């Protein structure tokens, strides 16, 4: 199940304005070029920011996400017809043969159930052509990113055209390693409406991820640093033999 921030139409509609800096995606775009990819499957595509970025640069893209509200936002964007949008999870994909599968931002960590994670990796493997690559990121648990997930560090007010001012902040709810739960809070000034969205992420150790990849038939090519967050993330590049 996707979180409310992706499934609630009012929250999905303001997701991009509340998180406008997606400079993290340019490293993925460059990696897609380096790997010689032409066809890309973006798992957990959300509101379509990365899928549309890829399409704008000439890639053939399939975007899949279980949250219909987010897919609807993606479909409403300029040039959305360049992407094939699928509402569902990676285990319900039609037959594909892509060069690259991506899971950007929190997508990999948001798949907290171990069997569901294994099924997702299997689906990615099946969608790839022989020699194709899977690329995704996950936070290094040793950096304890959740320690800064609080109101003082995250509070902001964003003025959104057609919506008005929106207050937002995050509260840490629970840490039971390897799971971390947090709650985003939103207050819409126009009508005083308050909405929340709870999320849980799984903080996997590097060796755990490497073992999971091998179990699904992947060969690990390398583990990179995220250039915009040095020392905080593992970026896994794995290949289907």
């Amino acid at each position: 199940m996707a979180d409310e921030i992706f499934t609630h139409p009012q929250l999905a509609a303001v997701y991009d304005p509340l998180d406008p800096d997606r400079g993290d995606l340019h490293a993925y775009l460059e990696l897609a070029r380096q790997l010689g990819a032409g066809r890309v499957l973006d798992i957990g595509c959300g509101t379509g920011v990365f899928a549309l970025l890829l399409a704008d640069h000439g890639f053939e893209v399939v975007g899949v996400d279980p949250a219909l509200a987010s897919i609807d936002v993606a479909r409403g964007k300029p040039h959305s017809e360049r992407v094939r949008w699928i509402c569902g999870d990676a285990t319900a994909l039609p037959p594909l043969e892509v060069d690259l599968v991506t899971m950007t931002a929190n997508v990999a960590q948001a798949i907290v159930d171990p069997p569901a994670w294994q099924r997702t990796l299997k689906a990615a493997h099946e969608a790839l052509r022989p020699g194709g690559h899977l690329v995704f990121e996950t936070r290094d648990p040793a950096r304890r990113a959740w320690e800064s997930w609080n109101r003082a560090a995250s509070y902001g007010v964003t003025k959104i055209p057609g919506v008005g001012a929106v207050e937002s902040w995050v509260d840490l709810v629970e840490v039971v390693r390897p799971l971390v739960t947090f709650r985003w809070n939103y207050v819409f000034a126009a009508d005083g409406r308050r909405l929340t969205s709870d999320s849980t992420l799984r903080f996997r150790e590097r060796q755990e991820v490497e073992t999971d990849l091998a179990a699904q038939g992947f060969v690990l090519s390398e583990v990179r640093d995220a250039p915009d967050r040095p020392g905080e993330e593992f970026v896994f590049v794995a290949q289907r033999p």
Side-chain angles (χ1 to χ4, degrees):
M1 293 293 292
D3 304 331
E4 283 287 299
I5 194 171
F6 304 112
T7 61
H8 192 291
Q10 187 173 2
L11 292 180
V14 300
Y15 181 83
D16 291 339
L18 291 176
D19 186 22
D21 182 9
R22 294 309 311 273
D24 60 303
L25 298 178
H26 294 291
Y28 280 91
L29 175 62
E30 183 57 32
L31 184 53
R33 289 170 170 155
Q34 292 174 8
L35 295 173
R39 296 162 295 177
V40 182
L41 168 64
D42 186 25
I43 294 176
C45 65
T47 57
V49 176
F50 184 52
L52 288 168
L53 177 66
L54 287 167
D56 285 345
H57 285 81
F59 293 87
E60 181 181 329
V61 188
V62 177
V64 60
D65 198 283
L68 179 58
S70 293
I71 290 289
D72 284 343
V73 171
R75 286 175 172 150
K77 292 181 175 181
H79 310 302
S80 64
E81 71 282 354
R82 297 176 181 174
V83 176
R84 180 182 179 185
W85 305 105
I86 299 174
C87 186
D89 63 33
T91 64
L93 289 169
L96 296 173
E97 191 174 67
V98 299
D99 307 307
L100 175 64
V101 176
T102 59
M103 290 185 281
T104 64
N106 287 335
V107 172
Q109 287 188 260
I111 306 171
V112 298
D113 177 60
W117 172 239
Q118 292 291 345
R119 291 193 297 269
T120 300
L121 292 178
K122 180 181 179 181
H125 189 277
E126 292 175 348
L128 284 166
R129 65 165 175 79
H133 291 84
L134 167 65
V135 178
F136 63 93
E137 66 184 67
T138 184
R139 290 179 178 86
D140 181 354
R143 297 303 297 266
R144 302 176 66 86
W146 58 86
E147 292 182 346
S148 64
W149 296 352
N150 53 64
R151 181 183 173 111
S154 61
Y155 179 84
V157 180
T158 306
K159 294 182 178 179
I160 303 174
V163 175
V166 181
E167 295 178 76
S168 62
W169 70 92
V170 68
D171 292 318
L172 186 63
V173 175
E174 185 178 49
V175 179
V176 183
R177 299 276 300 273
L179 302 181
V180 177
T181 300
F182 54 99
R183 175 175 297 127
W184 274 102
N185 304 269
Y186 306 92
V187 181
F188 292 78
D191 57 6
R193 188 173 190 184
R194 295 173 176 264
L195 296 173
T196 61
S197 176
D198 286 8
S199 300
T200 299
L201 300 181
R202 189 178 192 93
F203 282 73
R204 298 178 177 91
E205 299 290 346
R206 174 173 171 169
Q207 184 57 54
E208 178 186 357
V209 177
E210 293 182 6
T211 299
D212 290 343
L213 286 168
Q216 296 304 327
F218 284 100
V219 174
L220 184 64
S221 300
E222 61 176 315
V223 181
R224 298 188 173 195
D225 212 12
D228 60 316
R229 288 150 292 161
E232 297 180 10
E233 304 261 351
F234 300 128
V235 179
F236 291 87
V237 182
Q239 187 173 32
R240 173 178 176 173

